Amino acid sequence: QVQLVESGGGLVQPGGSLRLSCAASGSIFSINAMGWFRQAPGKQRELVAVITRGGTTNYGDSVKGLFTISRDNAKNTVALQMNSLKPEDTAVYYCYANIGSPQSRAYWGQGTQVTVSS
Protein backbone atom coordinates (compact mmCIF):
# COMPACT_ATOMS: atom_id res chain seq x y z
CA GLN A 1 0.00 0.00 0.00
CA VAL A 2 2.58 2.57 1.16
CA GLN A 3 6.29 1.87 1.11
CA LEU A 4 9.35 3.88 2.13
CA VAL A 5 12.68 2.97 0.57
CA GLU A 6 15.97 4.40 1.83
CA SER A 7 19.25 4.66 -0.03
CA GLY A 8 22.66 6.26 0.35
CA GLY A 9 24.02 4.53 3.43
CA GLY A 10 27.49 3.08 3.62
CA LEU A 11 30.94 3.32 5.16
CA VAL A 12 32.60 6.71 5.58
CA GLN A 13 35.64 8.03 7.45
CA PRO A 14 35.28 10.41 10.39
CA GLY A 15 34.79 13.94 9.13
CA GLY A 16 33.28 12.76 5.89
CA SER A 17 29.81 13.22 4.46
CA LEU A 18 26.91 11.10 3.27
CA ARG A 19 23.56 11.92 1.76
CA LEU A 20 20.59 9.67 2.52
CA SER A 21 17.40 9.69 0.52
CA CYS A 22 13.98 8.18 1.01
CA ALA A 23 11.18 7.76 -1.50
CA ALA A 24 7.55 7.16 -0.60
CA SER A 25 5.33 5.25 -3.00
CA GLY A 26 1.93 3.63 -3.09
CA SER A 27 -1.52 4.90 -2.22
CA ILE A 28 -0.69 8.40 -0.98
CA PHE A 29 -3.17 11.19 -0.59
CA SER A 30 -0.87 13.56 1.26
CA ILE A 31 2.42 13.55 3.13
CA ASN A 32 2.17 15.48 6.38
CA ALA A 33 5.76 14.98 7.51
CA MET A 34 8.85 12.98 6.64
CA GLY A 35 12.12 12.48 8.43
CA TRP A 36 14.79 10.26 9.85
CA PHE A 37 15.37 8.35 13.06
CA ARG A 38 18.38 6.23 13.95
CA GLN A 39 19.19 3.35 16.25
CA ALA A 40 22.61 2.10 17.29
CA PRO A 41 23.18 -1.33 18.86
CA GLY A 42 22.21 -1.28 22.52
CA LYS A 43 20.56 2.14 22.26
CA GLN A 44 17.02 3.39 21.78
CA ARG A 45 15.80 4.82 18.52
CA GLU A 46 16.26 8.60 18.48
CA LEU A 47 15.12 11.53 16.39
CA VAL A 48 17.54 12.78 13.75
CA ALA A 49 15.41 15.25 11.78
CA VAL A 50 11.83 15.74 10.64
CA ILE A 51 10.32 18.18 8.15
CA THR A 52 6.61 18.93 7.94
CA ARG A 53 4.43 19.57 4.92
CA GLY A 54 4.75 23.29 5.57
CA GLY A 55 8.54 23.16 5.78
CA THR A 56 9.03 23.32 9.54
CA THR A 57 12.10 21.35 10.65
CA ASN A 58 12.98 19.68 13.91
CA TYR A 59 16.47 18.33 14.60
CA GLY A 60 17.89 16.17 17.32
CA ASP A 61 20.27 18.08 19.57
CA SER A 62 23.28 16.00 18.58
CA VAL A 63 23.01 16.83 14.86
CA LYS A 64 21.96 20.48 14.85
CA GLY A 65 24.21 22.54 12.62
CA LEU A 66 25.75 19.44 11.04
CA PHE A 67 22.89 17.59 9.33
CA THR A 68 20.35 19.15 6.97
CA ILE A 69 16.99 17.72 6.01
CA SER A 70 15.16 18.65 2.82
CA ARG A 71 12.16 17.45 0.88
CA ASP A 72 10.78 17.40 -2.63
CA ASN A 73 7.01 17.32 -2.32
CA ALA A 74 6.48 16.76 -6.03
CA LYS A 75 8.57 13.57 -5.93
CA ASN A 76 7.50 12.37 -2.46
CA THR A 77 11.10 12.22 -1.32
CA VAL A 78 13.15 13.41 1.62
CA ALA A 79 16.92 13.69 1.93
CA LEU A 80 19.37 13.99 4.80
CA GLN A 81 22.73 15.62 4.17
CA MET A 82 25.16 14.48 6.87
CA ASN A 83 28.41 16.40 7.26
CA SER A 84 31.28 16.13 9.73
CA LEU A 85 30.35 12.58 10.57
CA LYS A 86 31.61 11.05 13.80
CA PRO A 87 31.91 7.42 14.94
CA GLU A 88 28.97 8.01 17.29
CA ASP A 89 26.79 8.66 14.23
CA THR A 90 27.10 4.98 13.36
CA ALA A 91 23.59 3.50 13.37
CA VAL A 92 20.79 2.13 11.27
CA TYR A 93 18.90 5.09 9.86
CA TYR A 94 15.16 4.70 9.34
CA CYS A 95 13.00 6.83 7.12
CA TYR A 96 9.75 8.00 8.72
CA ALA A 97 6.64 9.44 7.16
CA ASN A 98 3.25 10.54 8.38
CA ILE A 99 1.00 9.93 5.40
CA GLY A 100 -2.67 10.47 4.72
CA SER A 101 -3.89 7.53 2.68
CA PRO A 102 -6.34 9.21 3.11
CA GLN A 103 -6.35 8.53 6.87
CA SER A 104 -3.11 9.68 8.47
CA ARG A 105 -0.74 7.14 9.99
CA ALA A 106 2.96 6.55 10.51
CA TYR A 107 5.12 4.51 8.15
CA TRP A 108 8.70 3.31 8.46
CA GLY A 109 11.35 2.27 5.99
CA GLN A 110 13.44 -0.87 6.33
CA GLY A 111 16.53 1.05 7.44
CA THR A 112 19.94 1.72 5.93
CA GLN A 113 23.27 1.20 7.68
CA VAL A 114 25.63 4.13 8.22
CA THR A 115 29.07 3.28 9.57
CA VAL A 116 31.62 5.96 10.46
CA SER A 117 35.04 4.43 11.02
CA SER A 118 38.68 4.93 10.14
Side-chain angles (χ1 to χ4, degrees):
Q1 187 174 4
V2 174
Q3 294 184 0
L4 305 178
V5 180
E6 306 101 329
S7 63
L11 175 65
V12 65
Q13 295 184 16
S17 299
L18 284 175
R19 184 177 178 87
L20 305 182
S21 64
C22 175
S25 63
S27 182
I28 299 173
F29 181 78
S30 64
I31 298 179
N32 302 311
M34 294 188 72
W36 297 89
F37 290 72
R38 68 186 182 187
Q39 187 168 22
K43 297 184 178 180
Q44 294 187 342
R45 186 174 298 187
E46 65 176 354
L47 168 71
V48 178
V50 171
I51 185 167
T52 69
R53 178 175 55 193
T56 301
T57 58
N58 185 25
Y59 291 93
D61 290 340
S62 64
V63 306
K64 287 182 178 178
L66 300 174
F67 293 6
T68 303
I69 190 168
S70 61
R71 66 187 293 180
D72 187 334
N73 291 334
K75 298 180 179 179
N76 293 336
T77 60
V78 64
L80 182 70
Q81 180 65 45
M82 304 186 293
N83 298 325
S84 301
L85 284 164
K86 309 168 186 175
E88 50 263 43
D89 295 317
T90 296
V92 177
Y93 285 69
Y94 295 92
C95 181
Y96 159 86
N98 184 284
I99 294 175
S101 190
Q103 184 176 358
S104 297
R105 60 169 289 184
Y107 294 88
W108 294 91
Q110 78 282 4
T112 185
Q113 178 71 47
V114 172
T115 302
V116 184
S117 176
S118 60

